[in-house]
Amino acid sequence: MLNNIGLPGLLLIAVVVLVLFGRGKISSLMGEVGKGITAFKKGVDDSKSEIEDAMAEDAKDVTPTEDETKV
């Protein structure tokens, strides 16, 4: 059903949405969407850095010292 909307159909939908909600409401809504995306990206980056820090703390150096290699 939605496979063959095409460019004219999308333009018609955009015009109808603009008429129904008005320019001010749509711009404020898009601003909120942008803030949400920014907050999501920040949360993902923070959790990624926390995971990397935890992995760095857990990593141990298993390289044998010179005393252990001489038998």
Side-chain angles (χ1 to χ4, degrees):
M1 179 178 149
L2 296 176
N3 301 8
N4 47 358
I5 288 178
L7 184 61
L10 289 176
L11 289 175
L12 180 64
I13 292 171
V15 167
V16 169
V17 167
L18 185 62
V19 167
L20 287 177
F21 294 108
R23 187 175 149 220
K25 184 71 172 177
I26 292 174
S27 65
S28 66
L29 179 67
M30 289 298 116
E32 293 298 321
V33 169
K35 288 178 185 177
I37 291 172
T38 303
F40 178 76
K41 286 182 179 180
K42 185 177 184 280
V44 168
D45 289 341
D46 289 347
S47 65
K48 186 177 178 181
S49 65
E50 286 179 12
I51 291 171
E52 289 173 352
D53 291 344
M55 290 179 69
E57 289 176 2
D58 292 340
K60 296 180 182 177
D61 185 16
V62 293
T63 307
T65 60
E66 287 185 27
D67 294 338
E68 293 175 356
T69 57
K70 295 180 183 178
V71 178

